[in-house]
Amino acid sequence: MRYFKDLKTGDYIILALAAGFLGAVWYQLAFEINYDWDWSGIPSFFVYHDPETGYQQNVLLIGFFNLIRIAVYSAILSIILGMGLALMRVSERRWMNWTARLIVEFVRNIPPLVFLFIFYFFVSDMIFPVLGIRSFAQWLGQSDSAVVGFFFGDRIFIENLIAGVICLSLFEAAYVSEIFRAGIESVGRDQREGARSVGVTRFQEMRYIVLPQALQKTVPPLVGQLITLIKDTSIMSVISIQEFTFAGSEMVVSSGRIFEVWITVAIVYFIICYALSAYSRRLEITQQGRKT
């Protein structure tokens, strides 16, 4: 109930527009195209009951868990890589600055789908054997541990999952680095000069003065970038990674319930992203309140 009290007029307008859009789609299909709606099978696409083994995960639930895995792992890795690139961008060493800038500009100016194809079909085949990632994925695939299944899902697709996570992390890190760079550069120069005047080293300056303030300022935009990352996981389906969108396409083919499945997939994405968006706005309001 507290969440609904915090909603503003704009939130209700967005929810009303979303409900109106879904209603318009339903009306068009039900009365104009004469589509035979059947939502009864949707729950079984997530969980079904086997008389012998009991309740089992179905394709959509497996895809949803893979979506969460890809999003969490990619978010962690992209934050680490993005922070490294941001520190290189603000470095006083020119070669580090230009190297990071070249990487960021290269990634940001390539469409994500093109970047995904280039990395998955060309780069990963060259670097995975060298880095031992392929042998590591094969070793995990041979394990019967429940822990491996929890963290990586279906053992057959572990290498695909790792490739997708690395690719998405590299792509998102370019944008995360710009968020961190903006946060670092927002810290007043007078604070840095004051720190250096008392003998603080460059490392100590970044660790104790600049980064704590920068990280606090970058949390809301990082949450916003996480929303983009979650939506970008859908492009993993083009390289047969078993995430939520890919699972939806499989259920459409097997069941023939085209609109029911895709509307369900859209609703799940909307709930996750809208909840994160509301959380991001709350963080911004909290920070503004602290400043005042």
Side-chain angles (χ1 to χ4, degrees), residues 2-277:
R2 181 180 178 182
Y3 173 77
F4 290 102
K5 292 180 180 179
D6 294 336
L7 291 178
K8 294 184 177 180
T9 304
D11 298 314
Y12 289 110
I13 293 175
I14 293 174
L15 293 175
L17 289 174
F21 173 76
L22 293 176
V25 171
W26 172 81
Y27 178 84
Q28 183 75 13
L29 295 174
F31 297 100
E32 300 293 335
I33 306 178
N34 294 322
Y35 182 78
D36 184 20
W37 290 92
D38 183 10
W39 292 90
S40 60
I42 294 298
S44 65
F45 296 166
F46 287 91
V47 179
Y48 70 95
H49 183 265
D50 189 308
E52 297 181 357
T53 59
Y55 288 97
Q56 300 290 330
Q57 298 178 14
N58 209 345
V59 177
L60 282 185
L61 188 59
I62 294 173
F64 175 77
F65 286 142
N66 282 334
L67 161 66
I68 300 301
R69 291 186 184 99
I70 293 172
V72 171
Y73 299 155
S74 299
I76 295 173
L77 188 55
S78 63
I79 287 175
I80 295 173
L81 295 174
M83 175 60 76
L85 288 172
L87 292 175
M88 291 175 66
R89 287 293 303 273
V90 299
S91 174
E92 295 178 347
R93 297 179 180 179
R94 185 169 299 181
W95 70 268
M96 295 182 65
N97 188 298
W98 279 98
T99 300
R101 183 175 181 180
L102 178 64
I103 295 173
V104 170
E105 294 300 327
F106 175 77
V107 174
R108 290 178 64 190
N109 289 284
I110 295 180
L113 191 59
V114 176
F115 181 82
L116 176 65
F117 275 119
I118 293 174
F119 181 87
Y120 184 78
F121 291 107
F122 297 101
V123 180
S124 63
D125 285 339
M126 293 186 293
I127 67 173
F128 275 24
V130 176
L131 298 178
I133 296 177
R134 180 160 296 168
S135 58
F136 174 71
Q138 293 174 352
W139 175 75
L140 286 176
Q142 296 172 357
S143 174
D144 295 329
S145 173
V147 176
V148 174
F150 176 80
F151 284 102
F152 295 97
D154 195 334
R155 292 164 177 80
I156 300 175
F157 303 104
I158 288 180
E159 185 175 343
N160 292 37
L161 179 71
I162 295 175
V165 167
I166 295 176
C167 178
L168 189 60
S169 300
L170 291 173
F171 184 80
E172 297 296 333
Y175 295 89
V176 172
S177 68
E178 291 299 286
I179 295 174
F180 281 133
R181 184 177 67 87
I184 292 173
E185 293 180 346
S186 67
V187 178
R189 186 176 296 274
D190 56 337
Q191 297 186 47
R192 301 182 184 184
E193 294 176 350
R196 293 188 182 185
S197 66
V198 296
V200 174
T201 64
R202 172 73 172 174
F203 175 78
Q204 292 173 331
E205 172 195 334
M206 293 297 297
R207 180 179 178 182
Y208 297 109
I209 300 174
V210 177
L211 288 181
Q213 299 180 66
L215 291 176
Q216 185 178 6
K217 296 177 181 179
T218 56
V219 171
L222 282 178
V223 176
Q225 189 61 38
L226 176 59
I227 296 172
T228 302
L229 186 151
I230 291 174
K231 292 185 290 186
D232 285 344
T233 59
S234 61
I235 66 176
M236 299 289 108
S237 61
V238 301
I239 55 175
S240 300
I241 293 180
Q242 314 295 304
E243 50 75 56
F244 196 48
T245 302
F246 185 88
S249 63
E250 284 189 327
M251 293 311 302
V252 167
V253 173
S254 62
S255 67
R257 309 315 305 173
I258 301 173
F259 295 103
E260 292 90 338
V261 171
W262 286 127
I263 290 175
T264 301
V265 170
I267 290 174
V268 172
Y269 274 111
F270 178 82
I271 291 174
I272 297 174
C273 295
Y274 191 77
L276 288 172
S277 178

